[in-house]
Amino acid sequence: MDYLPVRVSTLRGDQKIDFDAYVLINDKHILYLRRGDSFEGARLNRLKEKKLRKLYILNTDEKLYRDYMNRNLDIAYNSKSNKTLEDRSQIVQGLQQNSAEEVMETPHSETSYKYAKEGAAKYVDFLLKEDQALKSILSIENTDQSIAHHGVTVSTYAVALASRLEITDPKLTQMLSLGALLHDFAIFKSELKVNRPIVELNPEEQKEYYNHPLSGSTLVKDLKHFDRPVINIILEHEEFINGSGFPKKLRESQVDPLSVIVSTANSLDRLITFEKNSAKNAAKKLMIEQVGRHPLKHIQILQKIVQENY
C-alpha cells in the first residue's frame, strides 16, 4: 500500500476523521487512529509530547483528508458555528502552524505562500473580532517547543500589540502576521536546538544562531512571491532599538517598524517557550532585563496583554 504524509497540526478539534491515520515505526506503518475517531484532547497532547509532526494516510484517502481539512476551515472561521471557541481556536492555531511549516519546507512554492498569506489576513480578523480569541489561542501550550508553533505565538502577540498601537491598516497587519509567522525560517531549516538560553549555546551554535536572520532572509530574498515586509521581518526580528541586536546591529530608525513589533513579541515568547518561564514571569523579565532593547511602550502593552490573558 502507498501512504501520504499529513501534518499533525492539521488534525485538530473534535471533528471525526473519515480516514485511518498511521504512525511510521521502523519503516512500518502502524494504525494509530481509526476513521470515526477524532484528535481532540489527550491524543493530540500525546503526539505533541512525542514531537511527532507527521502521520500517514493511505494515498486513496487523500480526497477524504482534503474534505476534512475544508470542513475544519469552515468551522474555524465561522463565528456562527456550533463549536466552542476553544475547539475553533485549536483548529485555527493548527492551520496557522501548518501554513508556517508548508512555507518553510517549500519556500519556492507560490501556492503554499499564497495560502499562508490569505490565512494571515483571516488570522488577524479572528484575533481582533472574536471575543476571547486571543486568550484562547495563547492557552495552547507549545509543549514540543515547535518553531512553527513559536511563529504562531509571536504572530499572535505581534497582532495584539499592533492593535493597541492603533495600527489598523489591513495590509500592514497581514504582513505583520505573516512575517512573524515565518520569522525563524533558518532555524526551522537547521538542526540547531534553541530550547535554552543563548548564553548556554556553544560557540559554533552561537555563531549559527546570531546569523539565522541573515541566512533566513537570504533563502527567500530572490523569490518574487515573497513580500518585501515579510523578508524585512525575517532579516530584522533580532535587531534591538539600541543597536545591540543582530545581525547588523541596527538602531530603531534603521529598522522596519513591523520588525520592531515582531522583535519585542519574539523576545517575550522566547522567554516563555524556550526558556520555560511562565508568561507573567517572562513579562517581568522583559521589563527588567530588556527594557533598553525594545520600546518601553511595547513592553508595557505586552505586560498588560499577559495580565489579561493568563
Side-chain angles (χ1 to χ4, degrees):
M1 290 187 291
D2 293 325
Y3 295 86
L4 179 74
V6 297
R7 289 185 175 83
V8 169
S9 57
T10 64
L11 305 170
R12 298 287 179 89
D14 62 354
Q15 184 185 170
K16 291 178 172 57
I17 60 174
D18 303 320
F19 45 86
D20 292 334
Y22 299 80
V23 292
L24 184 62
I25 301 175
N26 297 328
D27 295 325
K28 290 185 178 180
H29 291 90
I30 309 299
L31 182 63
Y32 179 78
L33 201 65
R34 295 182 183 277
R35 65 186 68 216
D37 288 329
S38 69
F39 279 88
E40 63 178 329
R43 285 195 183 102
L44 182 60
N45 289 335
R46 282 198 298 271
L47 290 174
K48 291 173 71 176
E49 287 167 3
K50 292 177 181 178
K51 299 188 177 182
L52 192 63
R53 304 280 166 79
K54 291 184 179 179
L55 292 175
Y56 294 82
I57 63 172
L58 292 172
N59 268 355
T60 52
D61 285 342
E62 181 176 3
K63 184 180 184 304
L64 295 174
Y65 169 71
R66 296 297 174 192
D67 290 343
Y68 166 88
M69 285 276 290
N70 288 332
R71 288 198 303 273
N72 259 356
L73 185 63
D74 290 341
I75 290 168
Y77 290 114
N78 182 1
S79 60
K80 296 180 181 179
S81 165
N82 61 358
K83 300 297 183 181
T84 66
L85 180 62
E86 180 181 6
D87 281 339
R88 292 171 58 219
S89 296
Q90 283 280 349
I91 296 168
V92 167
Q93 197 281 339
L95 291 171
Q96 287 300 101
Q97 187 171 328
N98 176 63
S99 290
E101 291 168 352
E102 286 274 5
V103 175
M104 291 191 286
E105 283 185 5
T106 57
H108 289 83
S109 169
E110 293 186 37
T111 300
S112 294
Y113 185 83
K114 179 175 179 287
Y115 182 85
K117 186 174 177 178
E118 291 170 353
K122 291 178 181 177
Y123 191 59
V124 172
D125 283 345
F126 179 75
L127 288 175
L128 300 184
K129 295 178 181 178
E130 292 276 354
D131 187 40
Q132 299 297 306
L134 178 62
K135 185 170 187 174
S136 188
I137 289 286
L138 292 176
S139 71
I140 303 172
E141 187 178 356
N142 190 353
T143 52
D144 59 347
Q145 297 180 316
S146 156
I147 291 297
H149 188 145
H150 166 63
V152 180
T153 307
V154 173
S155 177
T156 306
Y157 283 128
V159 169
L161 174 55
S163 175
R164 300 198 187 194
L165 291 170
E166 299 183 350
I167 298 172
T168 58
D169 184 312
K171 182 66 174 177
L172 287 179
T173 54
Q174 180 186 34
M175 292 296 99
L176 175 68
S177 177
L178 183 58
L181 184 70
L182 302 174
H183 74 276
D184 270 339
F185 213 105
I187 291 179
F188 181 88
K189 303 287 279 186
S190 77
E191 298 296 322
L192 183 63
K193 306 299 181 186
V194 295
N195 57 342
R196 57 202 192 277
I198 305 306
V199 294
E200 294 182 11
L201 301 178
N202 66 40
E204 185 176 336
E205 290 172 328
Q206 286 194 13
K207 182 179 179 181
E208 183 175 359
Y209 186 80
Y210 287 130
N211 193 54
H212 83 265
L214 182 59
S215 56
S217 62
T218 299
L219 284 170
V220 300
K221 68 181 178 64
D222 294 326
L223 298 178
K224 293 182 179 179
H225 55 277
F226 263 75
D227 296 280
R228 174 49 57 183
V230 172
I231 298 172
N232 289 345
I233 289 170
I234 294 171
L235 175 63
E236 298 171 348
H237 72 271
E238 296 280 9
E239 299 288 359
F240 302 139
I241 62 173
N242 62 2
S244 67
F246 55 92
K248 296 186 177 181
K249 297 190 178 299
L250 303 177
R251 291 187 171 271
E252 183 174 8
S253 62
Q254 301 170 291
V255 176
D256 188 317
L258 298 183
S259 300
V260 177
I261 293 173
V262 174
S263 176
T264 315
N266 179 55
S267 289
L268 176 62
D269 193 56
R270 157 156 273 285
L271 288 167
I272 297 168
T273 294
F274 300 121
E275 299 186 23
K276 288 300 182 183
N277 292 279
S278 69
K280 290 182 178 178
N281 283 342
K284 289 178 184 176
K285 277 193 169 189
L286 197 66
M287 175 63 80
I288 295 169
E289 300 174 3
Q290 302 193 36
V291 67
R293 297 179 181 179
H294 307 289
L296 177 60
K297 188 173 183 179
H298 288 195
I299 296 175
Q300 289 172 331
I301 290 172
L302 284 179
Q303 278 192 319
K304 190 170 184 182
I305 289 169
V306 166
Q307 289 168 358
E308 292 171 352
N309 292 283
Y310 288 93

Tab-separated table of all heavy atoms in Angstrom, residues 11-17 33-41 43-44 68:
chain	number	residue	atom	x	y	z
A	11	LEU	N	-4.670	18.287	12.219
A	11	LEU	CA	-5.645	17.347	12.782
A	11	LEU	C	-6.079	17.841	14.154
A	11	LEU	O	-5.634	17.354	15.185
A	11	LEU	CB	-5.023	15.943	12.871
A	11	LEU	CG	-4.454	15.408	11.555
A	11	LEU	CD1	-3.661	14.143	11.782
A	11	LEU	CD2	-5.581	15.157	10.551
A	12	ARG	N	-6.947	18.820	14.166
A	12	ARG	CA	-7.360	19.466	15.410
A	12	ARG	C	-8.870	19.438	15.557
A	12	ARG	O	-9.606	19.277	14.588
A	12	ARG	CB	-6.881	20.924	15.437
A	12	ARG	CG	-5.363	21.103	15.385
A	12	ARG	CD	-4.693	20.724	16.682
A	12	ARG	NE	-3.249	20.886	16.601
A	12	ARG	CZ	-2.607	22.008	16.893
A	12	ARG	NH1	-3.287	23.081	17.258
A	12	ARG	NH2	-1.297	22.067	16.816
A	13	GLY	N	-9.315	19.654	16.805
A	13	GLY	CA	-10.740	19.766	17.064
A	13	GLY	C	-11.408	18.414	17.249
A	13	GLY	O	-10.768	17.363	17.219
A	14	ASP	N	-12.705	18.449	17.455
A	14	ASP	CA	-13.434	17.219	17.771
A	14	ASP	C	-14.124	16.607	16.550
A	14	ASP	O	-14.920	15.685	16.672
A	14	ASP	CB	-14.476	17.487	18.871
A	14	ASP	CG	-15.531	18.503	18.436
A	14	ASP	OD1	-15.392	19.072	17.346
A	14	ASP	OD2	-16.481	18.711	19.210
A	15	GLN	N	-13.801	17.113	15.356
A	15	GLN	CA	-14.402	16.560	14.135
A	15	GLN	C	-13.856	15.157	13.882
A	15	GLN	O	-12.641	14.932	13.880
A	15	GLN	CB	-14.085	17.463	12.937
A	15	GLN	CG	-14.758	16.987	11.669
A	15	GLN	CD	-14.349	17.805	10.451
A	15	GLN	OE1	-14.667	17.431	9.341
A	15	GLN	NE2	-13.655	18.905	10.640
A	16	LYS	N	-14.738	14.223	13.652
A	16	LYS	CA	-14.324	12.841	13.398
A	16	LYS	C	-13.662	12.731	12.023
A	16	LYS	O	-14.088	13.360	11.061
A	16	LYS	CB	-15.532	11.900	13.501
A	16	LYS	CG	-16.072	11.767	14.914
A	16	LYS	CD	-17.292	10.863	14.961
A	16	LYS	CE	-17.695	10.583	16.407
A	16	LYS	NZ	-17.971	11.800	17.173
A	17	ILE	N	-12.607	11.915	11.952
A	17	ILE	CA	-11.901	11.743	10.695
A	17	ILE	C	-12.581	10.672	9.840
A	17	ILE	O	-13.206	9.750	10.366
A	17	ILE	CB	-10.418	11.384	10.922
A	17	ILE	CG1	-10.272	10.076	11.719
A	17	ILE	CG2	-9.698	12.526	11.633
A	17	ILE	CD1	-8.827	9.606	11.845
A	33	LEU	N	-5.021	5.735	14.597
A	33	LEU	CA	-6.381	6.194	14.854
A	33	LEU	C	-7.290	5.756	13.704
A	33	LEU	O	-6.965	5.945	12.544
A	33	LEU	CB	-6.415	7.725	14.982
A	33	LEU	CG	-7.606	8.325	15.727
A	33	LEU	CD1	-7.593	7.913	17.191
A	33	LEU	CD2	-7.586	9.848	15.632
A	34	ARG	N	-8.420	5.163	14.068
A	34	ARG	CA	-9.348	4.659	13.058
A	34	ARG	C	-10.323	5.748	12.602
A	34	ARG	O	-10.605	6.686	13.347
A	34	ARG	CB	-10.154	3.480	13.618
A	34	ARG	CG	-9.311	2.263	13.945
A	34	ARG	CD	-10.184	1.120	14.449
A	34	ARG	NE	-9.367	-0.025	14.829
A	34	ARG	CZ	-8.913	-0.922	13.968
A	34	ARG	NH1	-9.214	-0.808	12.685
A	34	ARG	NH2	-8.168	-1.943	14.366
A	35	ARG	N	-10.803	5.610	11.402
A	35	ARG	CA	-11.834	6.530	10.920
A	35	ARG	C	-13.026	6.475	11.875
A	35	ARG	O	-13.367	5.415	12.403
A	35	ARG	CB	-12.245	6.185	9.493
A	35	ARG	CG	-12.932	4.862	9.281
A	35	ARG	CD	-13.157	4.597	7.799
A	35	ARG	NE	-11.902	4.369	7.105
A	35	ARG	CZ	-11.648	4.770	5.870
A	35	ARG	NH1	-12.566	5.420	5.169
A	35	ARG	NH2	-10.478	4.523	5.300
A	36	GLY	N	-13.586	7.634	12.129
A	36	GLY	CA	-14.679	7.717	13.095
A	36	GLY	C	-14.237	8.260	14.436
A	36	GLY	O	-15.059	8.676	15.252
A	37	ASP	N	-12.903	8.291	14.683
A	37	ASP	CA	-12.371	8.893	15.904
A	37	ASP	C	-11.946	10.329	15.622
A	37	ASP	O	-12.010	10.799	14.485
A	37	ASP	CB	-11.182	8.085	16.430
A	37	ASP	CG	-11.609	6.754	17.033
A	37	ASP	OD1	-12.727	6.683	17.572
A	37	ASP	OD2	-10.826	5.783	16.964
A	38	SER	N	-11.474	11.030	16.659
A	38	SER	CA	-11.011	12.408	16.478
A	38	SER	C	-9.708	12.617	17.230
A	38	SER	O	-9.292	11.780	18.028
A	38	SER	CB	-12.063	13.409	16.974
A	38	SER	OG	-12.166	13.353	18.381
A	39	PHE	N	-9.062	13.771	16.965
A	39	PHE	CA	-7.763	14.065	17.548
A	39	PHE	C	-7.842	15.045	18.719
A	39	PHE	O	-6.861	15.680	19.056
A	39	PHE	CB	-6.822	14.638	16.476
A	39	PHE	CG	-6.214	13.584	15.618
A	39	PHE	CD1	-6.869	13.145	14.488
A	39	PHE	CD2	-4.998	13.021	15.944
A	39	PHE	CE1	-6.318	12.173	13.679
A	39	PHE	CE2	-4.435	12.040	15.146
A	39	PHE	CZ	-5.093	11.613	14.014
A	40	GLU	N	-8.971	15.160	19.343
A	40	GLU	CA	-9.093	16.119	20.431
A	40	GLU	C	-8.396	15.607	21.692
A	40	GLU	O	-8.154	14.417	21.865
A	40	GLU	CB	-10.577	16.382	20.742
A	40	GLU	CG	-11.327	15.155	21.227
A	40	GLU	CD	-12.772	15.466	21.574
A	40	GLU	OE1	-13.031	16.588	22.005
A	40	GLU	OE2	-13.623	14.579	21.412
A	41	GLY	N	-8.070	16.553	22.588
A	41	GLY	CA	-7.635	16.225	23.937
A	41	GLY	C	-6.355	15.428	24.049
A	41	GLY	O	-5.327	15.766	23.472
A	43	ARG	N	-5.183	12.575	22.990
A	43	ARG	CA	-4.490	12.006	21.825
A	43	ARG	C	-3.554	13.032	21.184
A	43	ARG	O	-2.408	12.732	20.866
A	43	ARG	CB	-5.513	11.536	20.784
A	43	ARG	CG	-6.227	10.250	21.127
A	43	ARG	CD	-6.927	9.706	19.881
A	43	ARG	NE	-7.679	8.511	20.191
A	43	ARG	CZ	-9.000	8.474	20.349
A	43	ARG	NH1	-9.691	9.593	20.248
A	43	ARG	NH2	-9.619	7.337	20.614
A	44	LEU	N	-4.065	14.237	20.995
A	44	LEU	CA	-3.267	15.282	20.375
A	44	LEU	C	-2.089	15.643	21.270
A	44	LEU	O	-0.962	15.821	20.801
A	44	LEU	CB	-4.129	16.520	20.107
A	44	LEU	CG	-3.446	17.692	19.409
A	44	LEU	CD1	-2.930	17.280	18.040
A	44	LEU	CD2	-4.400	18.863	19.275
A	68	TYR	N	-11.890	16.775	4.910
A	68	TYR	CA	-11.792	17.000	6.362
A	68	TYR	C	-11.176	18.374	6.637
A	68	TYR	O	-11.659	19.135	7.487
A	68	TYR	CB	-10.945	15.886	6.983
A	68	TYR	CG	-10.472	16.129	8.397
A	68	TYR	CD1	-11.257	15.764	9.495
A	68	TYR	CD2	-9.218	16.695	8.641
A	68	TYR	CE1	-10.806	15.977	10.798
A	68	TYR	CE2	-8.773	16.916	9.929
A	68	TYR	CZ	-9.554	16.553	11.008
A	68	TYR	OH	-9.112	16.766	12.291
